[in-house]
């Protein structure tokens, strides 16, 4: 005997315990959960991209002031455009998520 533990072998268990040990949980595809997670992921990614594009636009704006170069002005406009698109994506996914939750709540 080691550590005073009781050892139970598979053959010593009763029939119900064998059934429970062999049971396997089968997960079904739930479209509602998939849609909710997709909307949530899209909203988070678009907010993160908006933040990073904003930091990039701020950096380009600073470089434009420091160097008086047209190159940085184009880069700044590109970053601001990316911010606009990603923030619009965030608002769109938030609107779709809110409308789906209202539809499920049956208001």
């Amino acid at each position: 005997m080691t550590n005073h533990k009781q050892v139970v072998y598979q053959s010593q268990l009763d029939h119900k315990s064998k059934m429970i040990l062999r049971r396997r949980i089968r997960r079904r595809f739930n479209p509602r959960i998939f849609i909710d997670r997709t909307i949530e992921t899209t909203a988070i990614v678009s907010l993160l991209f908006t933040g990073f594009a904003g930091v990039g636009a701020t950096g380009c704006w600073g470089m434009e002031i420091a160097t008086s170069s047209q190159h940085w002005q184009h880069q700044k406009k590109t970053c601001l455009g990316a911010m606009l698109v990603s923030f619009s994506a965030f608002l769109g996914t938030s609107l779709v998520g809110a409308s789906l939750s209202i539809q499920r709540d049956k208001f």
Side-chain angles (χ1 to χ4, degrees):
M1 276 175 52
T2 58
N3 297 334
H4 304 290
K5 292 183 181 177
Q6 184 179 4
V7 178
V8 178
Y9 295 102
Q10 183 75 20
S11 61
Q12 294 175 342
L13 295 173
D14 60 341
H15 183 65
K16 290 181 182 178
S17 297
K18 287 181 182 179
M19 293 296 290
I20 291 173
L21 288 175
R22 292 182 187 163
R23 185 174 296 168
R24 185 174 167 191
I25 297 172
R26 183 174 177 153
R27 299 178 82 190
R28 292 187 176 187
F29 176 73
N30 190 348
R32 181 181 297 168
I33 293 174
F34 176 73
I35 291 170
D36 286 344
R37 288 186 179 163
T38 303
I39 289 173
E40 180 182 348
T41 303
T42 306
I44 291 170
V45 167
S46 63
L47 269 182
L48 284 173
F49 189 73
T50 301
F52 287 128
V55 169
T58 305
C60 292
W61 180 58
M63 291 302 289
E64 179 188 355
I65 291 172
T67 61
S68 299
S69 173
Q70 292 290 334
H71 172 73
W72 291 109
Q73 186 177 12
H74 293 296
Q75 292 292 332
K76 179 182 73 173
K77 289 181 181 179
T78 303
C79 289
L80 290 174
M83 278 180 61
L84 180 64
V85 169
S86 60
F87 191 68
S88 298
F90 167 71
L91 291 178
T93 54
S94 298
L95 181 65
V96 169
S99 65
L100 286 177
S101 89
I102 288 173
Q103 185 179 12
R104 282 189 209 127
D105 293 339
K106 297 179 183 175
F107 279 117

